[in-house]
């Protein structure tokens, strides 16, 4: 299939495919006699893998590692589980940080009356006060 067909089947833009090739997430495809890239069904599977991994928060470097692990299907799954567990720990840490930020913002919004002199705004005061 050509790059346009691959893009449609995988649900990505043509530029995304070219970018993933430059990032070495997709192998350089063979070319036809006229110079067009020729892709196979395995490339669609690989693009779906990349998209799902991105959706789970993996970086391109991490995805590259996951792809390398997945290419050795006869190996033990421990390395894949370790990589997923490490990503889960990062996500949980981010969730804790986001929860803290949400709670702090909620408190500021709740104490602000939303009217009156700006110099008395608790949100502005909280943002401008120096912390020790």
């Amino acid at each position: 299939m050509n790059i346009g067909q691959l893009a449609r089947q995988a649900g990505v833009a043509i530029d995304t495919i070219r970018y993933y090739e430059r990032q070495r997430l997709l192998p350089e495809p063979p070319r036809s006699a006229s110079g067009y890239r020729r892709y196979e069904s395995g490339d669609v599977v690989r693009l779906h893998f990349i998209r799902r991994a991105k959706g789970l928060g993996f970086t391109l470097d991490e995805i590259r590692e996951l792809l390398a692990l997945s290419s050795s299907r006869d190996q033990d799954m421990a390395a894949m589980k370790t990589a997923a567990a490490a990503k889960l720990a990062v996500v949980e840490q981010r969730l804790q940080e986001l929860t803290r930020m949400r709670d702090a913002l909620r408190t500021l919004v709740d104490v602000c009356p939303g009217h009156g002199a700006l110099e008395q705004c608790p949100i502005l005061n909280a943002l401008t006060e120096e912390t020790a």
Side-chain angles (χ1 to χ4, degrees):
M1 73 186 87
N2 66 33
I3 195 167
Q5 293 166 325
L6 175 63
R8 277 189 297 283
Q9 285 189 28
V12 300
I14 291 173
D15 288 340
T16 300
I17 294 169
R18 290 182 181 132
Y19 177 73
Y20 288 162
E21 286 175 0
R22 287 192 305 273
Q23 296 300 311
R24 303 199 186 280
L25 292 172
L26 277 176
E28 182 79 23
R31 294 192 179 254
S32 66
S34 57
Y36 291 104
R37 293 174 171 97
R38 301 302 306 165
Y39 297 94
E40 299 176 1
S41 60
D43 296 313
V44 175
V45 172
R46 193 171 183 101
L47 283 168
H48 284 200
F49 181 101
I50 294 167
R51 288 186 66 203
R52 287 186 194 113
K54 281 183 54 100
L56 291 171
F58 287 97
T59 66
L60 294 184
D61 286 337
E62 292 166 336
I63 293 170
R64 192 174 296 105
E65 292 172 20
L66 293 176
L67 285 166
L69 289 172
S70 72
S71 68
S72 302
R73 298 264 175 173
D74 59 333
Q75 298 294 318
D76 186 68
M77 67 179 79
M80 189 66 75
K81 182 176 182 175
T82 299
K87 180 50 73 176
L88 177 60
V90 169
V91 168
E92 287 176 343
Q93 179 182 352
R94 286 184 190 159
L95 279 171
Q96 289 174 354
E97 292 170 8
L98 287 169
T99 299
R100 181 191 53 76
M101 291 185 324
R102 180 201 62 204
D103 293 346
L105 281 168
R106 180 177 287 144
T107 299
L108 289 172
V109 168
D110 288 347
V111 299
C112 181
H115 56 82
L118 186 58
E119 65 186 17
Q120 296 175 353
C121 176
I123 299 170
L124 180 61
N125 292 335
L127 293 173
T128 57
E129 73 182 22
E130 291 187 38
T131 57

